[in-house]
Amino acid sequence: MKDQSIQCTCGHINPPGTQLCQNCGRLINDNYDKKKIADIMRYDGQAIRSKTKHKSLADKVWNFFASVKTGVILLVLTVIASAIGTMFPQQYFIPVGEDPSTFYQDKYGTLGLIYYRLGFDNLYTSWWFLILLALVAFSIIAASIDRGIPLHKSLTRQTVKKHPSFFKRQRLTLHDDRLDMSLIETLKDNKYKVREEAGFILAEKGRISRYGPYINHTGLIILLAGAMLRFVPMFYVDEFVGIGEGETKVIPGTENQYYIKNNQFIFEQYDKESMSNTNSKSADATMNKIAKNYESKITLFENKSDSSVIGSKPELVKLKDDSIRVNHPVKFDQFALYQNSFDQSQLETMLFKVQDKQGKQIGKNFEVKLDNPKDDYKISDTLNVHLRNYAPDFDKITENGALATKSPLPNNPKICL
């Protein structure tokens, strides 16, 4: 059954759910709770959808999300979930090569294991957290529409002449039958917008302040939309690649279009005589090391080959030489390259020599590059050394005698010659 319009005694036809006549301001709904007068006056009696429609399933869903109580509960749940996600580092920030299934338990014990099992290690990219953000956004939108539209109507359609009962419901009233014209001029001088009709005046200013909550809601919606757009591939790329000096690697997230070469990494410190450190001459030299510069000299390439052809080799064309420094990324196309971290302790090579039973060296020393070892090494005209097996980060010996590795990084290299 369609909701019936309400006719005031003044003859004006009001929409369903209206509490105060839009023409004269008289209370027209006798069944309305008299204790909620403040709620009536907030929107000048305009009908609020969530308080007038309760019939269909869509109405019930809308009313649920338009409720301020629902919005507060969703916000509290989001804050609690976000706080739990900061207890331990997210999986993205654990050391490279570490297995998350064992890292959290080994480092943080039982609590870390529970943290991992519940999926909090990837909290901010989890499906349920994204759904929670979407529900918060929908609740804010529903509440804003549900209350913002009646407020806008009450502010833009208000009449000058009001019924005496309207004024009695105001927080502050002053009755005077005389209308002093100087009052109108005084109000105008104080930047009030004044309207006059049949001996009544309406003065207002700062109307924008009534929209304050909805302006805040708009900001929150934009913030939540931005947080969710970062998970759309075309809007956000956040990848990591480790490059040793002299190495050239593809830049992740560019679909093999761009490559980067690390020509040199520079790490500089202020010396103990530097004026950048207070009382540097009297300070302990071992405690007086302050980083001065982190810089990566790189070369950027573009791959001109057809990456859709399986097995095709990249055809790299040099774009530019540049350097990446703190807060000074290298920008190209729609991407920006930042320095994330550096590690000067990682093993790069291992040096070997061959001796006979008497301890006499045979041939020359040979060097094994741990990032890309060769299969054979010639140490003399009559002797070659063959690399049978290699594990960069030794874990165990498998049943067939092969060396198993935990990660591709040379943290604990083991070589079988």
Side-chain angles (χ1 to χ4, degrees):
M1 182 177 178
K2 189 176 180 180
D3 293 329
Q4 298 296 322
S5 299
I6 303 174
Q7 183 174 4
C8 179
T9 55
C10 70
H12 184 76
I13 304 298
N14 297 276
T18 304
Q19 307 301 329
L20 299 179
C21 178
Q22 297 177 355
N23 181 54
C24 67
R26 183 185 283 109
L27 182 65
I28 58 177
N29 188 351
D30 295 333
N31 296 325
Y32 195 81
D33 189 352
K34 301 301 188 296
K35 296 180 180 179
K36 297 183 178 180
I37 294 300
D39 189 40
I40 295 178
M41 301 311 299
R42 184 178 296 122
Y43 308 105
D44 287 355
Q46 291 286 339
I48 299 177
R49 189 185 192 282
S50 62
K51 298 183 182 298
T52 58
K53 296 182 180 295
H54 308 279
K55 296 180 180 180
S56 67
L57 178 61
D59 291 335
K60 293 179 180 179
V61 172
W62 178 268
N63 297 345
F64 174 78
F65 284 102
S67 169
V68 175
K69 181 179 179 181
T70 300
V72 171
I73 292 174
L74 290 173
L75 282 173
V76 170
L77 291 176
T78 304
V79 170
I80 292 174
S82 301
I84 293 175
T86 63
M87 289 178 59
F88 303 128
Q90 294 288 288
Q91 188 179 127
Y92 181 83
F93 296 103
I94 67 175
V96 178
E98 290 284 355
D99 184 1
S101 62
T102 57
F103 171 80
Y104 288 97
Q105 184 176 12
D106 294 343
K107 190 170 182 64
Y108 305 108
T110 304
L111 193 59
L113 177 62
I114 297 174
Y115 186 86
Y116 172 75
R117 294 294 186 188
L118 293 178
F120 288 116
D121 59 317
N122 275 320
L123 172 68
Y124 306 109
T125 57
S126 61
W127 62 269
W128 63 267
F129 188 77
L130 293 179
I131 291 177
L132 189 58
L133 290 181
L135 292 177
V136 171
F138 183 73
S139 178
I140 293 174
I141 293 172
S144 299
I145 294 176
D146 193 63
R147 293 163 176 80
I149 292 178
L151 174 65
H152 179 71
K153 289 181 179 180
S154 69
L155 293 176
T156 56
R157 299 179 183 178
Q158 57 185 329
T159 58
V160 177
K161 186 177 180 180
K162 300 289 186 182
H163 190 269
S165 62
F166 177 86
F167 297 103
K168 292 179 180 179
R169 297 187 185 93
Q170 304 300 321
R171 293 182 179 178
L172 179 63
T173 61
L174 177 63
H175 179 73
D176 193 339
D177 293 331
R178 298 169 301 172
L179 179 60
D180 191 351
M181 298 305 296
S182 63
L183 175 61
I184 298 178
E185 297 301 324
T186 302
L187 290 172
K188 289 182 178 180
D189 292 341
N190 285 276
K191 309 301 181 183
Y192 280 87
K193 184 178 180 181
V194 180
R195 293 164 56 193
E196 183 180 0
E197 180 182 313
F200 290 82
I201 62 171
L202 172 66
E204 64 172 342
K205 73 173 181 178
R207 178 186 290 185
I208 189 66
S209 63
R210 297 286 300 274
Y211 295 100
Y214 309 102
I215 295 174
N216 291 336
H217 290 179
T218 303
L220 286 173
I221 293 169
I222 294 174
L223 180 64
L224 291 172
M228 297 182 70
L229 283 176
R230 73 186 299 269
F231 301 108
V232 180
M234 63 181 297
F235 284 97
Y236 184 80
V237 174
D238 186 9
E239 299 287 351
F240 171 83
V241 58
I243 310 174
E245 288 187 342
E247 290 184 340
T248 301
K249 290 186 178 181
V250 64
I251 300 176
T254 64
E255 298 181 351
N256 296 327
Q257 183 180 0
Y258 295 102
Y259 283 70
I260 181 176
K261 179 180 180 181
N262 182 4
N263 298 313
Q264 182 185 10
F265 175 71
I266 301 173
F267 173 47
E268 297 177 323
Q269 294 175 320
Y270 290 105
D271 56 44
K272 64 179 181 179
E273 302 293 333
S274 173
M275 295 302 295
S276 66
N277 198 7
T278 305
N279 298 325
S280 59
K281 293 184 178 181
S282 61
D284 185 352
T286 61
M287 301 295 292
N288 194 40
K289 295 181 179 180
I290 301 176
K292 180 180 180 181
N293 183 34
Y294 299 95
E295 183 176 358
S296 298
K297 293 187 176 296
I298 60 102
T299 301
L300 193 63
F301 299 93
E302 184 176 3
N303 182 15
K304 294 296 186 179
S305 66
D306 187 359
S307 58
S308 63
V309 179
I310 300 176
S312 62
K313 294 183 178 180
E315 299 176 5
L316 302 183
V317 177
K318 180 178 176 181
L319 294 181
K320 62 178 178 178
D321 292 317
D322 212 328
S323 63
I324 308 174
R325 293 178 289 114
V326 177
N327 297 327
H328 291 81
V330 170
K331 296 182 179 180
F332 64 98
D333 199 359
Q334 298 178 354
F335 302 94
L337 294 173
Y338 291 84
Q339 294 179 129
N340 179 274
S341 60
F342 73 98
D343 184 4
Q344 294 181 318
S345 63
Q346 185 171 301
L347 295 174
E348 295 182 356
T349 61
M350 293 183 70
L351 188 65
F352 294 88
K353 64 180 179 179
V354 179
Q355 295 178 334
D356 58 19
K357 294 182 179 179
Q358 287 73 35
K360 183 179 179 181
Q361 181 173 344
I362 302 175
K364 60 182 180 179
N365 298 340
F366 66 96
E367 184 179 75
V368 177
K369 293 185 177 181
L370 299 179
D371 60 339
N372 187 24
K374 298 179 181 179
D375 292 332
D376 295 283
Y377 297 88
K378 185 176 181 180
I379 60 174
S380 69
D381 294 336
T382 59
L383 182 63
N384 285 347
V385 175
H386 177 68
L387 190 149
R388 296 171 54 193
N389 209 334
Y390 167 59
D393 192 3
F394 177 69
D395 182 24
K396 61 181 179 180
I397 299 177
T398 61
E399 294 180 356
N400 59 2
L403 303 180
T405 183
K406 296 179 182 178
S407 70
L409 301 177
N411 298 321
N412 182 28
K414 190 174 183 65
I415 297 176
C416 182
L417 301 172

